[in-house]
């Protein structure tokens, strides 16, 4: 029995665009942080004060953004592996954005909301893209 492709396949194309957007903004945010000499003073109740170098966080943003962007392009090609990689990367990005929330609250919230839509669309309607292309 062949399953038909529905209009929901458009959500997966939206996911590809959203991944490109999230990835490119992470790359931009990462580049800004990498070239920033600022340090952040943090406080841990058990460990005391610590100094965090923003450029270290920038490298993680940069790498994660590059991977998200490449995966977004792969989703346009309806690659099955891209859906799995996208789900894993979006979950990592969601956790990362929660950690980064105090530094960039508005972008982190936007990224978390977009990531939620991406997860929903890829897990519910992701297989329709492969059927639509083949």
């Amino acid at each position: 029995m062949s399953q038909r492709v529905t209009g929901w396949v458009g959500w997966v194309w939206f996911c590809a665009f959203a991944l490109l957007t999230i990835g490119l903004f992470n790359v931009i945010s990462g580049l800004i942080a990498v070239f920033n000499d600022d340090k952040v003073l943090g406080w841990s109740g058990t460990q005391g004060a610590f100094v965090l170098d923003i450029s270290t966080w920038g490298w993680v943003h940069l790498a994660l953004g590059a991977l998200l962007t490449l995966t977004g392009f792969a989703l346009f090609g309806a690659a099955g592996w891209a859906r799995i990689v996208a789900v894993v990367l979006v979950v990592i990005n969601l956790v990362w954005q929660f950690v980064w929330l105090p530094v960039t609250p508005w972008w982190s919230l936007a990224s978390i909301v977009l990531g939620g839509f991406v997860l929903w669309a890829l897990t519910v309607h992701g297989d329709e893209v492969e059927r639509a292309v083949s």
Side-chain angles (χ1 to χ4, degrees), residues 4 6 12 22 31 36 38 41 46 54 56 59 77 79 102 104-105 108 112-113 117-119:
R4 66 184 197 40
T6 66
V12 180
I22 292 169
L31 286 173
N36 192 349
D38 289 345
L41 179 63
T46 59
I54 292 293
T56 304
W59 284 109
T104 56
S108 292
I112 289 167
V113 170
F117 282 121
V118 169
L119 282 177

Side-chain angles (χ1 to χ4, degrees), residues 7-86:
W8 288 102
V9 75
W11 274 99
V12 180
W13 300 127
F14 167 78
C15 287
F17 281 113
L19 279 180
L20 289 175
T21 303
I22 292 169
L24 289 175
F25 275 111
N26 274 359
V27 167
I28 291 168
S29 177
L31 286 173
I32 290 169
V34 164
F35 293 114
N36 192 349
D37 292 335
D38 289 345
K39 308 268 190 271
V40 173
L41 179 63
W43 180 262
S44 171
T46 59
Q47 308 270 328
F50 61 92
V51 176
L52 178 67
D53 185 10
I54 292 293
S55 66
T56 304
W57 291 65
W59 284 109
V60 176
H61 265 293
L62 191 60
L64 187 57
L67 290 172
L68 285 166
T69 302
L70 292 174
T71 305
F73 281 121
L75 276 177
F76 282 121
W81 64 266
R83 286 188 298 127
I84 296 166
V85 171

Side-chain angles (χ1 to χ4, degrees), residues 64 68 82-94 119 122:
L64 187 57
L68 285 166
R83 286 188 298 127
I84 296 166
V85 171
V87 167
V88 170
L89 288 176
V90 167
V91 168
I92 291 170
N93 187 56
L94 287 175
L119 282 177
L122 288 178

Side-chain angles (χ1 to χ4, degrees), residues 1-6 127-128 130-132 134:
M1 180 169 102
S2 174
Q3 295 179 336
R4 66 184 197 40
V5 176
T6 66
D127 60 333
E128 291 186 31
E130 290 180 31
R131 291 195 306 263
S134 59

